[in-house]
Amino acid sequence: MTQAPEYRKLPKVDQLLDDPACRSWIAAHGREPVVDAVRDALSSARATIARGEPCPPSDAILASVEQRLADEGRPSLRPVINASGVIIHTNLGRAPLSDDAIRAMAEMARGYSNLEFDLVSGERGSRYAHCGKLLAGLTGAEDGIVVNNNAAALLLVLRTLAAGREIVISRGQLIEIGGGVRIPEIMQECGITLVEVGTTNRTYTRDFERAITERTAALMIVHRSNFRISGYTCDPPIAELAELARRRGVLLLDDVGSGTLLDTAPYGLGHEPMVQERVAAGADVVCFSGDKLLGGPQAGYIAGRAALIKQMKQSPLLRALRVDKVTLAGIEATLRHYRRGDAAQRIPIWRAIAASVGDVEQRARAWQARLGADDPRLRVIEAASPIGGGALPELTLPTRALAIRARDPDALAGALRLADPPVVARVDDDQVVLDPRTVLPGEDDALLAALQAQLRADP
Ligand SMILES: *Cc1c(COP(=O)(O)O)cnc(C)c1O
């Protein structure tokens, strides 16, 4: 069969570019992207003909140009609706920010600021002055400093306070943080000799004591935030290690991982280490993440003794780890929630944690009602919302979720991810599960529009 006549029906590039639709797209997107889209659309039309099909009509080719322009113009990094129920989802950008933090960041992005400028003296100031006092006040530490993330905080602490010397740490705490970052490798990077003591399950204060030499810079505690050792276990109490460190003239460093300023226990989560407690118990330096339970922008916080923080501020490494003005503004606004005492009401991850099962169920039922109360594919089920963020897998909250039975649940979840905005759901056995706990206020309409489209497509 000959296809040549079909190829001859294909419009020319210039012909298409002259079309009024293309001319309006050129005005909106610029010439270059439209030319590329036209070429792509024509080459896919050629492929259609090569398969033995007729040449697509001009308006179909133009529609394909328009689709390509829309796809190309969409930002690569964009907001998604998190219906997975994982509250601190690392792959979905961890903590959504409070309105105050968003406002502060937008304002800071817009113009100039006193980032490193002392308004009283008119001289150079320090970017670390903006949050240091606030952080100290909230944690009870003498001073504080903020860097890019907690991994960076660890790097700065270790490099500044222990380079070329020894750190004593329990074998049960030599963890991989995530993304392949391992505590022993960070130590190696900093030229520190790691002295492992105790066993995987049990380590005592006397193990630390025996390992201290004149080369020891510090004892270190790392919170086992992403796994649990249970059964016959023992970790020395932090107060005992603090007393030992003081007596022997070495430092006590504490990586609490997520770190929280609010007690998690009243929310039914068990007790996560609180920064204030660790400082009070005698840690010289405590470091923690800004975008896990703290609920702010990505950052690493270091709270500790003033003399040690001062050393870190003088480190040349700090320059490479420093946070920008927009992040700093978000951090300050986030910390002010804790200072005012409205963190649990205003910080989105705490609102998600604090939402009662009744509240969540009401929302799941409202979704069900709007999608069709008599649709046999829809049910409201009991489920669990994981805290996430590398937190303990068993750290979950009871929840209610909307479950959708589908012939191919993976395909349905995949189609929801391609919605605009994308919706990320969980697949459980033969159903797609959507947890209202992590769907932010104001996202319901977009979520339901995406669901409606898919439910209609999958009768
Ligand atoms: C998450 C975590 C880190 C790393 O924090 P980032 O802010 O992600 O860099 C370090 N230590 C522990 C124990 C953690 O849980």
Side-chain angles (χ1 to χ4, degrees):
M1 192 175 90
T2 170
Q3 291 148 357
E6 289 303 309
Y7 285 116
R8 273 197 295 275
K9 290 186 198 153
L10 275 172
K12 300 269 170 299
V13 172
D14 287 342
Q15 240 175 310
L16 283 173
L17 288 175
D18 227 20
D19 186 279
C22 267
R23 278 203 235 145
S24 75
W25 295 330
I26 288 170
H29 301 269
R31 189 177 168 84
E32 212 50 34
V34 178
V35 172
D36 288 346
V38 164
R39 292 220 167 94
D40 287 351
L42 283 174
S43 96
S44 108
R46 247 175 252 118
T48 305
I49 298 170
R51 284 197 301 272
E53 292 169 41
C55 175
S58 279
D59 32 339
I61 296 175
L62 283 171
S64 141
V65 171
E66 188 173 26
Q67 186 58 49
R68 278 160 214 274
L69 285 170
D71 290 346
E72 204 228 16
R74 195 181 290 136
S76 169
L77 176 62
R78 57 205 171 109
V80 308
I81 295 178
N82 175 13
S84 72
V86 181
I87 296 172
I88 304 167
H89 197 308
T90 295
N91 303 143
L92 301 185
R94 290 200 184 158
L97 304 181
S98 76
D99 290 340
D100 282 16
I102 294 164
R103 221 174 0 254
M105 292 170 91
E107 234 162 69
M108 198 49 53
R110 193 172 296 123
Y112 297 99
S113 66
N114 64 338
L115 178 66
E116 293 186 348
F117 185 70
D118 185 327
L119 292 170
V120 175
S121 67
E123 283 163 15
R124 191 196 160 111
S126 161
R127 74 176 60 215
Y128 300 103
H130 301 291
C131 294
K133 232 168 99 186
L134 202 46
L135 190 54
L138 289 166
T139 60
E142 290 172 5
D143 199 0
I145 192 171
V146 192
V147 291
N148 265 328
N149 53 27
N150 194 21
L154 274 172
L155 201 62
L156 182 64
V157 167
L158 294 172
R159 187 73 77 88
T160 310
L161 303 178
R165 300 176 68 196
E166 291 178 358
I167 283 191
V168 187
I169 186 169
S170 161
R171 284 206 168 79
Q173 297 180 354
L174 292 173
I175 66 165
E176 175 169 320
I177 296 165
V181 178
R182 295 168 166 181
I183 294 291
E185 285 165 12
I186 297 181
M187 299 258 185
Q188 201 177 12
E189 186 68 31
C190 296
I192 292 165
T193 306
L194 188 65
V195 180
E196 305 169 27
V197 297
T199 59
T200 305
N201 60 332
R202 293 179 77 87
T203 304
Y204 306 98
T205 304
R206 60 172 187 271
D207 295 323
F208 280 88
E209 174 138 39
R210 276 196 220 111
I212 296 175
T213 69
E214 70 282 1
R215 291 181 304 279
T216 307
L219 315 180
M220 184 161 186
I221 305 172
V222 179
H223 181 48
R224 282 189 288 262
S225 46
N226 50 11
F227 72 110
R228 173 160 289 167
I229 297 183
S230 61
Y232 186 58
T233 64
C234 174
D235 283 315
I238 179 171
E240 265 184 44
L241 287 182
E243 190 277 326
L244 170 64
R246 230 182 338 273
R247 183 155 47 78
R248 300 292 298 270
V250 299
L251 299 173
L252 178 61
L253 312 177
D254 190 7
D255 172 13
V256 293
S258 175
T260 173
L261 295 170
L262 294 183
D263 188 0
T264 47
Y267 298 95
L269 285 173
H271 185 75
E272 275 288 291
M274 294 174 72
V275 181
Q276 320 69 316
E277 282 171 4
R278 312 295 284 189
V279 171
D284 294 295
V285 170
V286 182
C287 58
F288 52 105
S289 271
D291 51 349
K292 291 183 182 171
L293 281 172
L294 216 82
Q298 178 192 302
Y301 295 79
I302 305 170
R305 295 211 335 250
L308 304 175
I309 300 290
K310 188 171 168 202
Q311 269 178 269
M312 292 182 225
K313 284 181 186 166
Q314 288 161 352
S315 161
L317 183 60
L318 181 58
R319 172 76 186 220
L321 307 176
R322 75 184 188 184
V323 287
D324 84 308
K325 59 185 178 181
V326 176
T327 303
L328 265 175
I331 287 170
E332 181 175 358
T334 303
L335 291 178
R336 286 193 184 283
H337 286 302
Y338 290 96
R339 173 100 176 115
R340 276 198 302 271
D342 62 10
Q345 293 78 43
R346 306 287 295 280
I347 293 180
I349 65 139
W350 283 101
R351 273 210 303 252
I353 290 171
S356 72
V357 173
D359 291 344
V360 183
E361 173 161 8
Q362 206 170 27
R363 222 158 139 214
R365 295 219 177 274
W367 291 356
Q368 184 185 24
R370 280 179 61 185
L371 291 169
D374 47 5
D375 189 329
R377 295 170 293 180
L378 306 178
R379 276 190 317 140
V380 172
I381 61 164
E382 294 186 8
S385 316
I387 297 302
L392 291 174
E394 63 261 48
L395 218 57
T396 63
L397 291 166
T399 197
R400 297 291 181 271
L402 181 69
I404 306 175
R405 227 181 30 245
R407 275 174 307 172
D408 185 349
D410 289 314
L412 174 54
L416 290 172
R417 287 197 303 275
L418 295 181
D420 189 19
V423 174
V424 179
R426 229 169 43 218
V427 174
D428 238 350
D429 295 328
D430 61 342
Q431 49 192 15
V432 172
V433 177
L434 300 121
D435 187 342
R437 191 181 287 282
T438 49
V439 176
L440 300 179
E443 291 180 338
D444 296 62
D445 287 347
L447 173 104
L448 290 172
L451 284 175
Q452 255 149 3
Q454 291 310 317
L455 287 170
R456 270 198 301 271
D458 186 77

